[in-house]
Amino acid sequence: MLLLLVAKVFWLFLFDILSPLIFYDLCKQIVQNIPAEYQTQQAKMEYLYDYVCDNVKYVTYESMADESYFYDAVCKGETLCDGYSNMLSLLFRMIGVECCEVIGKNEEGLDGHTWVVAKLDDVFYNFDPTFEDTSEIPSEQRKFFGFSDDLVSM
């Protein structure tokens, strides 16, 4: 029993140290595989945004086995809004885009939803791959790529 506990603690310790390196390497591969025809910053951002929407599936909080949202997005292809935002913001930063993750509050004042704010052509816009991925809007009609703050307040 003690050996099992030690093994579990060791695994968790190793996971905490190695997982950021694994995530970073996987994201680095995604960025390195951006097709050559995506030359502009906006085109690269659109490619990465579509990549996240096409390769990550939204799951409910109740179905998550743990709270490794970034790991689940990058390695398992399923996550909550936090994982979508973690992945997209890292990918954006890897191509030199200034960005951050934003946590919105719900009516009760609790953390309600996470998305990314990023700079495009010297203007900050909102990027929400979770809403894009869970909406019924076809991906070629992006509604949540680079939207204004006016839409956030709705």
Side-chain angles (χ1 to χ4, degrees):
M1 183 72 155
L2 180 61
L3 183 60
L4 184 61
L5 179 62
V6 169
K8 185 174 182 174
V9 169
F10 179 72
W11 167 248
L12 291 173
F13 173 76
L14 247 163
F15 182 78
D16 284 346
I17 290 174
L18 295 179
S19 59
L21 299 174
I22 294 167
F23 304 153
Y24 185 83
D25 282 345
L26 290 171
C27 288
K28 190 173 166 184
Q29 289 174 19
I30 294 166
V31 168
Q32 289 172 341
N33 289 323
I34 295 174
E37 64 264 21
Y38 293 88
Q39 294 291 313
T40 67
Q41 192 80 324
Q42 180 172 344
K44 290 176 183 177
M45 291 171 74
E46 288 173 356
Y47 176 85
L48 294 172
Y49 182 84
D50 288 344
Y51 182 92
V52 171
C53 291
D54 293 344
N55 291 282
V56 179
K57 180 181 85 166
Y58 182 80
V59 293
T60 62
Y61 182 79
E62 292 77 23
S63 66
M64 297 290 290
D66 54 36
E67 293 188 13
S68 300
Y69 307 131
F70 189 29
Y71 169 83
D72 292 329
V74 176
C75 299
K76 293 182 179 178
E78 59 182 34
T79 191
L80 301 172
C81 58
D82 291 333
Y84 278 90
S85 297
N86 296 156
M87 185 175 181
L88 184 63
S89 65
L90 177 58
L91 292 170
F92 278 1
R93 284 192 297 274
M94 287 179 145
I95 62 166
V97 174
E98 187 178 342
C99 66
C100 67
E101 296 167 42
V102 177
I103 301 173
K105 302 285 183 186
N106 63 17
E107 294 80 27
E108 291 84 35
L110 303 172
D111 292 349
H113 183 61
T114 307
W115 66 95
V116 175
V117 172
K119 196 174 195 178
L120 175 61
D121 297 328
D122 294 323
V123 178
F124 283 97
Y125 295 99
N126 299 281
F127 298 82
D128 195 335
T130 309
F131 278 2
E132 195 82 55
D133 200 28
T134 58
S135 75
E136 300 298 318
I137 301 166
S139 62
E140 60 272 0
Q141 299 174 2
R142 291 181 200 94
K143 183 172 182 178
F144 301 102
F145 177 90
F147 61 94
S148 71
D149 287 343
D150 295 338
L151 188 58
V152 172
S153 62
M154 295 178 92

